[in-house]
């Protein structure tokens, strides 16, 4: 039976460490002064999506001598996560905790950080602020909306109708920012482009995602993209319907040999490599590590058959612009209810954008 | 014999067998122990097939579930909501209702308590008053929610199993509609939630532990409901109705009222679980309320053989399995699914072990034989 | 026609038609399987486990053999295996079938998730749909009418099952076993054996339903694939009042209603999408509540069924 490579490797390592630790009294591992990292995932590590992206990047940390990584998957965003993390600290001697799901932050990781000041906590969303949260807590995040902006540019020039379909899970800021960035990218090359939006209401609803993709195609969209945990179903449905598609999370190019344009990919490995360096040198972890195109934390999938030559050229130019710090959100911009939401030019890392709660004019959809 | 096996609510003698007599109690302990050993053997085979060590596995289960003071508290934390949702299935089961909608009542109860807290917290009401109103709102909302299923069953002949399941999905939709819409706290950026009730209002832990008060309330409620169902006229009438509704009707019992009341009690229990999720764990209502406690409660109740008192230890067993599951995953690098397989095996074997009751004469006083 | 084909109403109707055809098949198979089981007087609430395990096995086998139909068969056999366990355990006296069903749900999904890890990423050969709508010349309608053969198998099965219950001796035996065990015994029938076979066969059908999920629509394996469809399908049997033909209608209705959520947003009605997404549940409840029935509506229900007593 084929087995996914990363899990076999980690099986050997963590299995051996686990057997050794199981025979020791709880908490002894910490006394040895080594780094034990507890990594917590909201879904299965092999989900071909968000969790897998983290789990694979975690392999880089596993390669650092003296560092043990313990992992737990399918931990829901309830107090189960607090119990898991506490258990990692108390029973496995973890002294670094990485929480990879949005909902882990408040109240769970904030409370735990206060209760365990000797343990370092890092959370994968731009939520930490020095004046509100404990000093042994921090954030790391890749601003994927920059890569979605590039998706939008390429989609805008690859679409005949100018209607881009977007299948989204939930109306939270990071999702809304991706949707709005696709729109702004598309409008930068085609001022009449629109984004037609469908919310499925949850992170993993394969049947509804397929229905949504079909409904968008039926409504006249000829490029489909998405922000759900596992984009496989959306991309495959789009390909089966003969329309083009843009990916999300990881590379889906192989799923759509005819219609794939490009995709937005996280590069968590950049962050985890930085952490690994810190561990190797025995340095403290920085509180905040965020980034996008300028510091190699996001990328776009290699262009597929669905991308026109003009689209490729424009998208590459857009990438260069982002690397140079060219802002995506340039006011005045109205939301799709007619309110002015962005006045001037916003830096791509402006904290105000982290609280985005609107859809820009040109997005057909509603957040309630 | 199989035809009697099909209907739990019918079998009043079984309810009696679970009463606090020494003989039957010893029987329960022996049979449960036997079943746990049998499932351990079955799961060991599974582990050997996939190349993992059963000895390490069970060592870790013990360590993660009970082995240290921390582990046991972790177990109790996870057990707390399951006691209440277990009761939410067990009580209507006694009157012959198969209600699988505790999840919905939990969600709607938790949401109601968080929603009603918004004006109270913003106007600076005293925490005790706020909490009391929140708890009442949760119990009323949850109770009405499942009472609707009970009423539909009695008045319209709508099967309560399907209606309670449908109502669960509808409850979740209602909660999300408001939490991500009109009642969303603007501060809840990446996790749409209602306004936090704040640390000063939230229920703390039981002193000296990290377990919230929901555990003790659940245990007390289990005791109270045991008294209600076993020692009062109401309980007797309910069990009689569960055994034979037509006979109960013929005897002039208010069957409709009894059905709606039992359904409402169930919803109130689940709603209370939702209240504790909001008031003791999250401080607000959000997607975390949909955690599956309601569905797990069904199994808890069945393994407890619908006995409110037995719900408590069974819920603790579930809590231990969940707590240990994480440790097993981390130390042995097994996927989460392996714990699901273990749970499935334990449940099937425990349920199958029901067949052993009453077979060994040594446990049964002469007058109790049937 | 062309003018109408551009309207929002047309889009919605086509989406509902397409949804009914695309989404209904797994519901249909699980409901028919459960219908057979419940007709024999036993309830298997655990068909969600069969559905998920079937989906995973079908995908894996199709991936390894390159033959999706082999995958369908393997899915059925995996469902048969789970159904047989349920049937055997519930044969023991005093064992509750509802509870065992829920436990089997945990076991089946756990097994599927455990074995299915390596198959989330690869693409397996899928079942081909029959393009029945090319003649319309309207792409959306053509897509809605690209129908998977399993859909027709399901309908044929429902018709056959309905005939089987009404016109064959075996059908009579199953019905009698479900309505009154003493009567069945008087006929010289082994109640346990009939129920065991009915549960195993019902499990087989649910497994086949799972293969549709992974090999046709949405046509991929991952752990969120079913998200409760198996449980809902079991409930639909009660809604369909234990009639195979009505099971098909219920599945079609449920599929069509499930398309409302995405389609309403696609045509620009975007407010309140949570309620549109919950349309199948709301509609089913309303229909059940409005079709007033007598207080003890046991007329259609198998008399031995614990859930309706």
């Amino acid at each position: 039976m084929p087995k996914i490579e990363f899990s076999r490797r980690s099986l050997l390592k963590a299995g051996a460490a686990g057997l050794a630790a199981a025979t020791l009294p709880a908490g002894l591992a910490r006394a040895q002064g080594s780094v034990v990292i507890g990594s917590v995932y909201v879904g299965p590590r092999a989900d071909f999506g968000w969790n897998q992206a983290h789990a694979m990047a975690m392999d880089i940390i596993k390669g650092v001598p003296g560092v043990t990584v313990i992992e737990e998957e399918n931990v829901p965003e309830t107090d189960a996560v607090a119990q898991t993390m506490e258990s990692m600290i108390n029973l496995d001697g973890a002294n670094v905790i990485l929480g990879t799901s949005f909902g882990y932050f408040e109240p769970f990781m904030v409370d735990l950080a206060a209760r365990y000041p000797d343990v370092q906590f890092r959370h994968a969303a731009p939520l930490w602020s020095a004046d509100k949260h404990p000093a042994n807590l921090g954030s790391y995040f890749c601003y994927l909306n920059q890569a979605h902006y590039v998706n939008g540019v390429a989609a805008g020039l690859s679409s005949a109708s100018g209607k881009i379909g977007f299948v989204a899970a939930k109306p939270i800021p990071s999702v809304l920012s991706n949707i709005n960035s696709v729109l702004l990218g598309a409008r930068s090359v085609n001022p009449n482009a629109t984004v037609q939006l469908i919310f499925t209401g949850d992170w993993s609803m394969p049947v509804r995602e397929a229905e949504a993709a079909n409904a968008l195609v039926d409504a006249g969209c000829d490029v489909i993209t998405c922000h759900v945990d596992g984009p496989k179903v959306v991309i495959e449905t789009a390909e089966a319907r003969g329309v083009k598609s843009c990916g999300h999370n990881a590379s889906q190019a192989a799923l759509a040999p005819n219609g794939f344009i490009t995709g937005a990919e996280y590069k968590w490995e950049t962050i985890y490599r930085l952490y690994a360096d810190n561990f190797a040198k025995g340095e403290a972890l920085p509180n905040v590590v965020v980034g996008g195109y300028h510091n190699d934390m996001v990328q776009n999938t290699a262009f597929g058959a669905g991308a026109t030559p003009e689209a490729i050229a424009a998208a590459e130019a857009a990438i260069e612009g982002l690397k140079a710090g060219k802002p995506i959100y340039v006011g005045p911009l109205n939301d799709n209810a007619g309110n002015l939401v962005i006045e001037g030019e916003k830096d791509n890392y402006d904290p105000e954008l982290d609280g985005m709660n609107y859809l820009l004019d040109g997005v057909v959809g509603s957040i309630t | 014999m199989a035809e009697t096996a099909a209907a739990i609510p019918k079998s009043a003698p079984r309810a009696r067998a679970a009463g606090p007599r020494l003989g039957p109690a010893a029987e329960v302990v022996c049979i449960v122990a036997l079943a746990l050993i049998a499932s351990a053997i079955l799961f060991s085979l599974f582990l050997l097939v996939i190349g993992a060590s059963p000895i390490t596995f069970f060592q870790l289960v013990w360590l993660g579930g009970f082995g240290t003071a921390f582990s046991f508290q972790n177990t109790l934390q996870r057990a707390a909501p399951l006691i209440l949702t277990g009761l939410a299935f067990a009580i209507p089961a006694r009157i012959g209702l198969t209600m699988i909608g505790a999840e919905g009542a939990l969600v709607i109860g938790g949401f109601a308590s968080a929603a009603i807290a918004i004006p109270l917290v913003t106007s600076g009401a005293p925490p005790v008053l706020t909490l009391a109103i929140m708890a009442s709102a949760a119990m009323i909302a949850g109770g009405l929610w499942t009472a609707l299923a009970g009423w539909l069953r009695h008045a319209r002949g709508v099967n309560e199993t399907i209606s309670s399941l449908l109502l669960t999905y509808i409850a979740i939709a209602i909660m999300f509609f408001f939490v991500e819409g009109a009642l969303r706290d603007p501060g809840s950026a990446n996790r749409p939630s209602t306004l936090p009730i704040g640390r000063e209002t939230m229920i703390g832990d039981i002193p000296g532990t990290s377990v919230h008060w929901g555990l003790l309330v659940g245990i007390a409620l289990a005791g109270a409901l045991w008294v209600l169902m076993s020692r009062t006229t109401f309980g007797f009438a309910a069990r009689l109705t569960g055994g034979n509704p037509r006979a109960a009707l013929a005897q002039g019992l208010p069957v409709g009222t009894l059905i709606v009341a039992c359904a409402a009690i169930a919803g109130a229990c689940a709603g209370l679980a939702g209240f504790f999720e909001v008031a003791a764990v999250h401080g607000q209502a959000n997607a975390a309320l949909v955690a599956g406690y309601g569905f797990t409660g069904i199994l808890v109740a069945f393994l407890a053989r619908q006995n409110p008192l037995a719900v408590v230890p069974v819920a603790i067993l579930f809590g231990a399995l969940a707590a240990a599951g994480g440790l097993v995953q981390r130390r042995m690098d097994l996927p989460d699914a392996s714990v699901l397989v273990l749970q499935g095996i334990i449940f099937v074997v425990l349920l199958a072990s029901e067949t052993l009751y009453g077979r060994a004469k040594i446990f049964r006083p002469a007058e109790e034989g049937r | 026609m062309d003018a109408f084909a551009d309207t929002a109403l047309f889009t919605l109707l086509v989406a509902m038609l397409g949804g009914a055809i695309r989404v209904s098949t797994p519901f249909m198979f699980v409901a028919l399987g459960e219908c057979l089981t419940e007709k024999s007087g036993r309830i298997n609430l655990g068909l969600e486990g069969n559905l998920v395990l079937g989906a995973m096995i079908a995908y894996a086998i199709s991936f390894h053999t390159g033959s999706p139909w082999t995958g369908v068969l393997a899915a059925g056999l995996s469902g048969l295996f789970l159904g047989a366990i349920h049937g055997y355990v519930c044969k023991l006296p005093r064992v509750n079938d509802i509870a065992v069903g829920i436990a089997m749900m945990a076991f089946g999904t756990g097994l599927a998730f455990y074995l299915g890890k390596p198959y989330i990423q690869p693409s397996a050969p899928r079942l081909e749909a029959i393009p029945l709508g090319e003649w319309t010349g309207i792409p959306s309608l053509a897509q809605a009418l690209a129908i998977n053969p399993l859909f027709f198998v399901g309908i044929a099965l429902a018709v056959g099952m309905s005939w089987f219950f009404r016109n064959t001796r075996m059908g009579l035996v199953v019905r009698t076993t479900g309505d009154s065990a003493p009567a069945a015994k008087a006929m010289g029938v082994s109640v346990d054996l009939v129920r065991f076979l009915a549960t195993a066969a019902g499990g087989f059908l649910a497994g086949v339903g799972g293969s549709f999920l992974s090999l046709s629509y949405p046509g991929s394996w991952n752990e969120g694939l079913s998200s409760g469809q198996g449980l809902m399908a079991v409930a639909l049997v009660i809604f369909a009042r234990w009639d195979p033909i009505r099971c098909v209608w219920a599945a079609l209705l449920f599929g069509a209603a499930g398309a409302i959520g995405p389609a309403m947003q696609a045509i620009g009605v975007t407010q309140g999408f949570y309620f549109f997404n919950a349309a199948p549940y709301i509609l089913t409840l309303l229909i059940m509540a409005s079709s007033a029935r007598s207080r003890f509506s046991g007329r259609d229900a198998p008399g031995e069924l614990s859930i309706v007593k």
Side-chain angles (χ1 to χ4, degrees), chain A residues 274-294:
Chain A
L274 185 94
Y275 283 177
D277 274 355
N278 291 132
F279 294 136
K281 293 178 190 152
E283 295 169 350
L285 294 183
N287 276 99
V288 177
V289 183
V290 295
Y293 253 114
H294 81 280

Side-chain angles (χ1 to χ4, degrees), chain B residues 2-3 5-6 8 14 50 153 156 158-159 161-162 166 169 176-177 180 298 302 335 337 341 347 351 355 359, chain C residues 93-96 99 102-103 110-111 113-114 117 185 192 232 235 238 274-275 281 288-289 292 304 306-307 309:
Chain B
E3 64 274 19
I8 261 216
R14 196 190 306 187
I50 65 172
R153 150 78 184 248
R156 310 290 294 173
V158 177
N159 178 284
T161 310
I162 178 166
L166 293 167
Y169 291 111
F176 276 129
F177 176 75
E180 293 184 0
I298 303 171
F302 268 117
V341 174
F347 304 152
L351 292 165
T355 193
R359 296 219 175 161
Chain C
R94 312 178 61 130
V95 174
N96 183 274
I102 296 171
L111 208 56
F113 291 177
Y114 183 81
K117 298 280 180 205
K185 277 184 191 144
D192 283 346
M232 200 55 232
I238 306 169
Y274 276 107
F275 290 116
Y281 313 111
M288 288 187 80
E304 293 276 322
S306 51
I307 208 162
K309 278 196 172 161

